[in-house]
Amino acid sequence: MRQTEYEMLSARMRHGYEYGEKGGVGFFHAASLAAMPGITHGFTARKGGVSAPPYDTLNLAFGKTEPLDPPENVRRNFEIFCAAAGLPYDSLCIINFEHGTNVVAVSGTDCGRGFAREPLPPCDGLVTNDPNVTLITSHADCGAFFLYDPVHHAVGAGHAGWKGMLGRIGRNLIETMRREYGSVPEDIIASNGPCICRNCYEVDEALAAQFEAEFGLNCSVPGKPGKRQLDLEIPAAVQLLEAGVRPENITLMHACTFEMPDLLFSHRRARGKTGDMAGFIKLA
């Protein structure tokens, strides 16, 4: 894709997010998905939980870093989040992320995987057409994907760090929805979630060059000597466009995890001593 073409298509996308709180818990939403009667979706803020610093307060990560946040705190946080979002706790099914591109199709028989039951196989993406299951992804700077096919009534969710984004996990989510449920990319409503922004995401020049070679666009800007500032939202949008999603159906939230310490955890800002937010999507 040429730079000028992307800029024209970007102008037709939706930009920005909605934020609100319920029961003391904060949620980021894409307006396009929030307007759909067939789903519930969102991305949690860090407010409203029971965890102590540095996981304060709504940490949704089990055993992520040392010192560990006690698992009973994390379970309680998930219960609080579910009550605020109107989700059954026993409907949750969470990715078993490995910073890759594997996508797994799940159903109600997978409810509780990664919580009260054994984890899923390693995967960074989930899809389903079963309204009994809530797809959960984990984030603390990495990108998120939310996908909804209102025609075939199917959803997808993904976690995308730089490895997953470079490997096109967004495209893999769409291809899996097409294979499993007959989804047509032109029908899919898509959004990303809060992630670290270009101004805050310093990478080596070699990694930035990989992104620009893969996606054919200026995905970064100059930084310190030997460094570049990488924009994860550009490759997120490009892989959705190239998979066939219409630009009018794509939302880029432009919510930076690093720049919102009161609302969002950031692995890079906290140098690893931090909790996780959750992305979630469920069919009604």
Side-chain angles (χ1 to χ4, degrees):
M1 182 175 294
R2 295 172 182 246
Q3 188 72 32
T4 54
E5 181 185 5
Y6 175 76
E7 291 171 359
M8 291 175 59
L9 293 172
S10 177
R12 293 163 55 190
M13 299 176 198
R14 296 178 181 232
H15 297 268
Y17 59 87
E18 295 180 340
Y19 177 78
E21 297 182 7
K22 186 175 181 181
V25 177
F27 297 101
F28 291 79
H29 299 96
S32 57
L33 290 170
M36 293 283 174
I39 61 164
T40 297
H41 89 288
F43 190 99
T44 62
R46 63 183 294 175
K47 300 174 63 176
V50 301
S51 297
Y55 308 109
D56 47 327
T57 60
L58 194 75
N59 172 34
L60 299 175
F62 286 103
K64 182 180 177 185
T65 55
E66 297 288 347
L68 297 181
D69 192 12
E72 57 268 25
N73 285 354
V74 180
R75 280 192 288 271
R76 180 59 185 144
N77 287 340
F78 269 105
E79 291 170 354
I80 291 168
F81 143 58
C82 285
L87 300 170
Y89 178 80
D90 59 6
S91 74
L92 305 184
C93 179
I94 192 168
I95 58 167
N96 183 12
F97 71 89
E98 59 176 355
H99 292 282
T101 59
N102 189 39
V103 176
V104 173
V106 297
S107 68
T109 61
D110 295 297
C111 290
R113 299 286 294 271
F115 293 95
R117 300 173 54 201
E118 74 283 359
L120 292 166
C123 60
D124 284 75
L126 302 173
V127 298
T128 193
N129 66 349
D130 190 335
N132 294 308
V133 60
T134 301
L135 308 183
I136 300 288
T137 54
S138 301
H139 308 270
D141 279 337
C142 295
F145 284 100
F146 301 98
L147 305 174
Y148 175 45
D149 173 1
V151 176
H152 295 88
H153 209 48
V155 291
H159 160 272
W162 72 260
K163 291 181 182 178
M165 200 68 78
L166 189 61
R168 296 175 180 258
I169 189 173
R171 176 196 62 191
N172 289 0
L173 283 162
I174 292 170
E175 290 180 351
T176 306
M177 290 174 69
R178 174 159 40 190
R179 182 178 66 248
E180 295 287 336
Y181 314 122
S183 295
V184 177
E186 289 82 357
D187 296 328
I188 290 175
I189 312 299
S191 177
N192 77 333
C195 66
I196 193 167
C197 78
R198 184 183 69 186
N199 292 339
C200 301
Y201 192 28
E202 181 182 83
V203 301
D204 293 337
E205 287 183 339
L207 180 58
Q210 280 186 266
F211 271 87
E212 293 176 2
E214 175 67 26
F215 295 98
L217 293 172
N218 299 326
C219 298
S220 66
V221 295
K224 297 175 184 176
K227 303 291 185 180
R228 302 280 293 183
Q229 300 294 130
L230 181 62
D231 190 334
L232 290 175
E233 291 193 309
I234 292 174
V238 170
Q239 60 193 276
L240 295 175
L241 291 167
E242 292 182 345
V245 181
R246 297 169 57 222
E248 295 84 357
N249 289 348
I250 296 173
T251 296
L252 297 179
M253 287 197 184
H254 307 307
C256 178
T257 49
F258 193 101
E259 294 177 344
M260 297 183 178
D262 292 340
L263 291 179
L264 296 167
F265 295 115
S266 168
H267 181 89
R268 181 163 289 208
R269 184 185 64 236
R271 299 183 180 181
K273 302 294 185 182
T274 190
D276 271 9
M277 292 82 64
F280 62 95
I281 191 164
K282 182 184 184 296
L283 293 164

